[in-house]
Amino acid sequence: MIELRTPAQIEEMKPAGRFVASVISALAEKADVGVNLLELDALAHEMIRERGAESCYIDYHPSFGASPFGKVLCTSVNDAVLHGLPHDYVLQDGDLLSVDFAASVDGWVSDSAYSMVVGTPREEDLRLIDVTQRALEAGIEWARPGNRMGDISHAIGEVARSAGLGINLQFGGHGVGRTMHGDPHVANDGRPGRGFKLKEGLVIAIEPWFLHTTDRIYTDADGWTLRSEDGSRGAHMEHTVAITADGPYILTARD
């Protein structure tokens, strides 16, 4: 069921968005060569505790997960692009790291993801991150009352196609509210003018993710981490966005 939020409820959602943004920013500052993925998860866990927030991940067990997730943060490195389960891995020079984090504050959820390179970057990784960020921005621009869900999806897909990237439609964005994942689904490609008509009060997570040379993925032996089929690297960007009378409002915007 697609739910619409009142202006007052969107105001109530803003603290969750600010908190999630602050965690993403702290993780981006902490991530460096020599840092263990478990240290990043511990940082996010401590920030949740200090804020009195609730993790959306630690007990999460959807049909595609082998078991409850057990951590509060997704950390996807290099050929991993989504749902990366934090483990005992020390970041190396040039690693492409994506962090994905969602939490509930006062009963409202926000969700955000960010990709970065630690240490010395490869030019192709920087280009991939840039394309993914531009695709996110293009999708957000269409998140306005009167447009269609297909307009958002098409805008994302056009950026990817113009960069010569394949697009996987197995996972994409979603509605956000009292829970992390709800209706509607926000695909990363689509036909303009089609789909659900966007209305004031709709809150969605828009999250393009792309791989260098494939659109095919498989699930790692940990039962969670999604990796590229050919070993190429991936990038993932995400914001929680409220559709308002004045246009898109990014609840998870970082300073």
Side-chain angles (χ1 to χ4, degrees):
M1 182 177 68
I2 296 175
E3 297 182 272
L4 302 178
R5 309 301 175 186
T6 66
Q9 287 176 320
I10 290 174
E11 285 296 318
E12 292 173 359
M13 297 182 77
K14 289 181 179 180
R18 288 193 294 267
F19 172 67
V20 167
S22 73
V23 173
I24 293 288
S25 294
L27 293 167
E29 184 174 346
K30 173 74 171 177
D32 204 350
V33 176
V35 173
N36 195 300
L37 297 182
L38 295 176
E39 295 179 64
L40 297 179
D41 186 71
L43 172 59
H45 209 147
E46 178 63 15
M47 292 183 73
I48 288 172
R49 187 193 64 78
E50 291 178 350
R51 180 61 177 81
E54 294 182 12
S55 170
C56 292
Y57 289 169
I58 198 161
D59 295 322
Y60 187 52
H61 190 188
S63 59
F64 56 81
S67 61
F69 191 72
K71 303 294 183 183
V72 301
L73 175 69
C74 291
T75 52
S76 302
V77 182
N78 296 334
D79 65 318
V81 67
L82 294 175
H83 307 162
L85 185 64
H87 59 286
D88 186 13
Y89 175 80
V90 175
L91 290 168
Q92 307 296 307
D93 186 45
D95 278 347
L96 198 170
L97 169 67
S98 299
V99 294
D100 189 355
F101 179 74
S104 175
V105 175
D106 299 327
W108 293 107
V109 171
S110 268
D111 191 1
S112 186
Y114 180 70
S115 291
M116 70 201 90
V117 176
V118 298
T120 309
R122 303 180 184 183
E123 284 301 319
E124 60 266 30
D125 289 343
L126 296 180
R127 287 196 296 271
L128 181 64
I129 290 170
D130 177 67
V131 169
T132 311
Q133 176 64 31
R134 288 192 287 109
L136 173 61
E137 293 169 356
I140 291 172
E141 181 59 29
W142 282 93
R144 301 175 183 274
N147 291 336
R148 298 275 181 175
M149 188 60 70
D151 296 324
I152 293 177
S153 298
H154 178 74
I156 293 169
E158 279 290 280
V159 174
R161 280 189 296 275
S162 69
L165 299 177
I167 304 166
N168 181 295
L169 298 179
Q170 289 174 261
F171 296 92
H174 48 87
V176 179
R178 295 292 187 181
T179 60
M180 177 171 59
H181 288 149
D183 293 329
H185 176 68
V186 186
N188 286 325
D189 197 16
R191 298 177 65 181
R194 298 296 183 90
F196 177 75
K197 188 173 184 179
L198 305 178
K199 299 176 182 179
E200 182 181 348
L202 181 66
V203 180
I204 52 177
I206 300 175
E207 53 176 316
W209 61 277
F210 306 119
L211 300 161
H212 271 307
T213 56
T214 186
D215 60 4
R216 299 178 67 86
I217 54 177
Y218 72 95
T219 304
D220 188 87
D222 65 16
W224 274 100
T225 304
L226 297 178
R227 297 184 179 277
S228 66
E229 193 171 86
D230 66 357
S232 62
R233 296 184 173 201
H236 178 202
M237 295 288 191
E238 177 182 17
H239 273 311
T240 297
V241 180
I243 297 175
T244 77
D246 297 322
Y249 181 88
I250 304 173
L251 289 160
T252 51
R254 298 181 292 277
D255 294 335

